[in-house]
Amino acid sequence: ISLTILSASAQGLMAKHEPMFISRSETFKFIAGDIIVLPCEVANTEPYVVAWKRGIAILTAGSVKVTPDPRVRLVSGFNLQIRDAVPQDAGDYICQIATMEPREITHTVEILVPPRIHHISTGGHLQVKKGSSVRIECSASGNPTPNVTWSRKNNILPNGDDKLHSHVLSIENVDRHKGGVYICTANNGVGQPASSQVVLHVLYPPEISVERPVVFSGEGHEAMLVCIVHGETQPEVIWFKDTMQLDTTERHIMENRGSRHTLIIRKVHPQDFGNYSCVAENQLGKSRKTLQLSGKPNVAVFNSPAISQYKDRYNISWAVDSHTPIEEYKLSFRKLPQGHEVVDNAIDSQSSLSSSSSSSSSSSSLSSQMYGASTHNHRIGGNLANYGGYGNLMRWGHNDWRDVVLPAVPLSHHYTQGMSYMVRGLDPDQQYEATVQSRNRYGWSDLTNSFFFSTSSNDVLVDLSTFLNHGQSDNEMRDLSVTFYGSGAVNRQKLSLITLSGATLMLRLILA
């Protein structure tokens, strides 16, 4: 028994003196340029030699450096150091104890390389003609393999996205809106992302847009006609009045700031009204846009509430901008057919627009009407409807449109002019559609968009005419009022015409 205990004790003493690794095999990641340190801590190495190997190449043996690489050395015992790591340093490194049966640990080194863009197929600048297709390839390297994305400086990509995850950027049917600076970015999470840019320059013939296709002005005023011109190379711009080229004069001044080309006409004469055009030309082509200088009124704007306070009438009013006094208005209105629904003063049917435009076809002949202070009675479905106003009520038109021509008396010389008119004989709780045109000495304005209003189911307020008509028949007294006004409230005037017993006329002029 004692011999057995002695033999076990001897074996344990011998085991304590056998060489052993304290370090374990590991995988290390280093960024290119870093200092690589691979641990190899051992115990009981006497009299054995500790060596570092990479493949079949011996780097160190004991404390002696074998490799000629000046970056390699031992630190803190047998730890292996490699300065200024490069991608070629990646691989397996073996720390070995040279026993009869060699013992070893293996470290795996991975070198992380920041991204680098090393090729863009078009270089940094690309010129193409409008309508062409473009393909730009961006190649990048790094470890791990970087992700490549395309973006556009201060803009989105032509496909509407902010970024494109691809090394290839394709643009079809190039136009000037697709030009700009495109940026290729490579990122793999190591260091800073790499980027490179391509300037896409699109060559195209002139493209023209007008700031306002119709410019309204008046005699003695100044008018500005503006064309926005884009083109590569920079186009030359020429102005025409009809077919006559314009030169710079005391009254005709031509300016341009960047893409904005302006024709300024000072102290407008009647012969200045008409059609103008700006013509732009460069090496790639020529373009033309037409503008109109008009002395006619602008399109009127309705400013009365959408719901009447009365069940059988509605006081409709509008304003219009005109450099020249308005001479007359044409008001057209009708009851909306069944099935038409009005939402936010817009209608869901196009029929009203077409019929409204047809009712305005006779506008040019309206100026020949004779005006008089009178009332006009029209029988509608067996009921007598009375329309009062200082103007003529036309015959019923297509789709039951009613046309009223109202002279602007007295004439207003304010820029903003307007009128209100009491439409009578309406049906309770019904929706109506109205349009207006205005005429000055230069002609009729464009037709307004349709305006929609409704009558109430019951009278909300009782007006003065109710008291005036109290105890008298409908034909004995009517308050037939039309209001004319300019841009100043002080100049607002109301002309009221009261008919007494259908014969006697009394004219009141009230200054507000």
Side-chain angles (χ1 to χ4, degrees):
I1 294 172
S2 60
L3 290 174
T4 302
I5 294 173
L6 179 61
S7 175
S9 177
Q11 290 178 2
L13 183 63
M14 292 177 62
K16 287 182 181 180
H17 294 284
E18 289 184 359
M20 58 183 296
F21 287 101
I22 299 175
S23 301
R24 297 177 177 273
S25 299
E26 294 184 65
T27 297
F28 295 92
K29 294 181 179 181
F30 299 96
I31 297 176
D34 285 353
I35 297 175
I36 299 173
V37 178
L38 302 178
C40 185
E41 296 183 19
V42 294
N44 304 327
T45 57
E46 295 294 339
Y48 304 107
V49 175
V50 177
W52 277 97
K53 298 191 302 180
R54 185 182 180 192
I56 62 174
I58 298 177
L59 305 178
T60 65
S63 59
V64 179
K65 187 182 80 167
V66 178
T67 177
D69 190 339
R71 300 175 303 134
V72 177
R73 66 171 183 159
L74 294 174
V75 295
S76 302
F78 295 105
N79 295 328
L80 183 68
Q81 181 189 87
I82 305 174
R83 299 188 307 275
D84 300 326
V86 294
Q88 292 77 11
D89 293 329
D92 291 337
Y93 291 79
I94 300 171
C95 183
Q96 185 182 79
I97 302 175
T99 57
M100 290 297 294
E101 294 182 2
R103 299 179 182 183
E104 59 187 36
I105 59 173
T106 301
H107 293 311
T108 299
V109 173
E110 182 178 346
I111 303 298
L112 303 179
V113 180
R116 183 174 70 90
I117 296 174
H118 54 81
H119 176 69
I120 290 187
S121 58
T122 61
H125 195 277
L126 179 62
Q127 281 190 343
V128 297
K129 288 186 177 182
K130 178 183 177 181
S132 303
S133 297
V134 171
R135 176 185 169 91
I136 310 173
E137 186 173 350
C138 178
S139 299
S141 61
N143 186 37
T145 302
N147 294 319
V148 177
T149 60
W150 283 98
S151 59
R152 191 177 177 190
K153 187 175 181 179
N154 301 326
N155 209 333
I156 58 175
L157 295 171
N159 64 0
D161 295 333
D162 291 329
K163 290 185 178 181
L164 173 66
H165 296 274
S166 174
H167 69 284
V168 176
L169 173 66
S170 296
I171 306 175
E172 305 294 331
N173 195 24
V174 173
D175 58 27
R176 69 179 179 88
H177 302 289
K178 298 177 182 178
V181 178
Y182 290 84
I183 302 172
C184 169
T185 302
N187 188 12
N188 64 355
V190 180
Q192 295 297 318
S195 64
S196 186
Q197 66 182 31
V198 176
V199 179
L200 177 60
H201 198 69
V202 182
L203 303 176
Y204 59 95
E207 296 179 2
I208 307 175
S209 61
V210 296
E211 194 169 80
R212 287 180 296 168
V214 180
V215 176
F216 296 95
S217 188
E219 289 184 48
H221 294 271
E222 182 176 276
M224 298 178 62
L225 285 70
V226 180
C227 283
I228 310 299
V229 181
H230 297 278
E232 291 294 345
T233 54
Q234 187 62 35
E236 178 186 4
V237 176
I238 302 173
W239 286 92
F240 289 85
K241 169 71 164 67
D242 297 324
T243 60
M244 182 180 68
Q245 181 177 338
L246 298 177
D247 296 322
T248 299
T249 65
E250 184 178 333
R251 288 200 317 112
H252 293 166
I253 299 173
M254 301 170 199
E255 295 180 349
N256 75 285
R257 293 182 180 179
S259 60
R260 194 172 188 268
H261 294 257
T262 305
L263 171 63
I264 302 174
I265 304 175
R266 291 180 173 174
K267 297 181 180 178
V268 171
H269 294 172
Q271 61 268 26
D272 291 327
F273 294 120
N275 293 324
Y276 291 78
S277 59
C278 57
V279 177
E281 183 176 9
N282 65 9
Q283 297 173 349
L284 299 172
K286 178 188 292 187
S287 298
R288 176 190 295 265
K289 277 288 184 179
T290 300
L291 308 86
Q292 182 184 3
L293 178 60
S294 176
K296 298 177 182 180
N298 280 260
V299 177
V301 177
F302 290 95
N303 51 25
S304 49
I307 300 177
S308 175
Q309 59 187 1
Y310 308 109
K311 64 180 180 180
D312 60 349
R313 60 199 133 146
Y314 176 70
N315 190 16
I316 190 168
S317 62
W318 60 88
V320 60
D321 292 337
S322 176
H323 290 274
T324 304
I326 301 296
E327 297 180 357
E328 65 179 352
Y329 301 93
K330 176 193 172 186
L331 169 66
S332 301
F333 62 94
R334 69 165 182 171
K335 183 167 67 174
L336 280 181
Q338 294 295 324
H340 290 71
E341 181 179 356
V342 176
V343 179
D344 294 333
N345 218 14
I347 196 167
D348 66 350
S349 172
Q350 296 297 319
S351 63
S352 65
L353 298 179
S354 60
S355 58
S356 176
S357 61
S358 67
S359 72
S360 65
S361 61
S362 60
S363 297
S364 59
S365 65
L366 295 175
S367 59
S368 62
Q369 297 288 335
M370 296 299 293
Y371 305 114
S374 60
T375 59
H376 301 265
N377 297 322
H378 296 267
R379 191 165 297 278
I380 310 171
N383 296 321
L384 189 65
N386 181 279
Y387 294 84
Y390 193 85
N392 288 341
L393 183 64
M394 308 298 292
R395 295 184 62 186
W396 298 95
H398 183 59
N399 285 345
D400 289 332
W401 280 95
R402 293 84 161 168
D403 296 336
V404 182
V405 177
L406 304 168
V409 179
L411 297 180
S412 170
H413 292 272
H414 294 280
Y415 177 62
T416 300
Q417 305 165 49
M419 175 176 280
S420 65
Y421 176 74
M422 182 68 77
V423 183
R424 298 178 182 274
L426 304 178
D427 294 334
D429 197 21
Q430 293 293 324
Q431 289 184 324
Y432 290 84
E433 177 182 5
T435 62
V436 158
Q437 280 182 288
S438 313
R439 185 181 68 80
N440 62 17
R441 59 179 294 189
Y442 295 106
W444 287 95
S445 70
D446 288 338
L447 197 67
T448 62
N449 290 329
S450 289
F451 174 75
F452 302 97
F453 64 90
S454 303
T455 52
S456 301
S457 56
N458 293 293
D459 285 345
V460 179
L461 297 176
V462 179
D463 68 343
L464 180 62
S465 63
T466 302
F467 295 101
L468 293 175
N469 291 331
H470 181 68
Q472 302 185 43
S473 65
D474 287 343
N475 289 330
E476 288 179 336
M477 183 175 292
R478 288 293 181 188
D479 182 4
L480 309 177
S481 62
V482 181
T483 303
F484 308 84
Y485 58 92
S487 56
V490 175
N491 296 296
R492 185 181 180 93
Q493 298 177 335
K494 183 174 182 180
L495 185 65
S496 296
L497 189 65
I498 299 180
T499 62
L500 301 177
S501 301
T504 305
L505 299 179
M506 181 174 68
L507 186 65
R508 294 182 304 170
L509 184 63
I510 303 172
L511 299 180

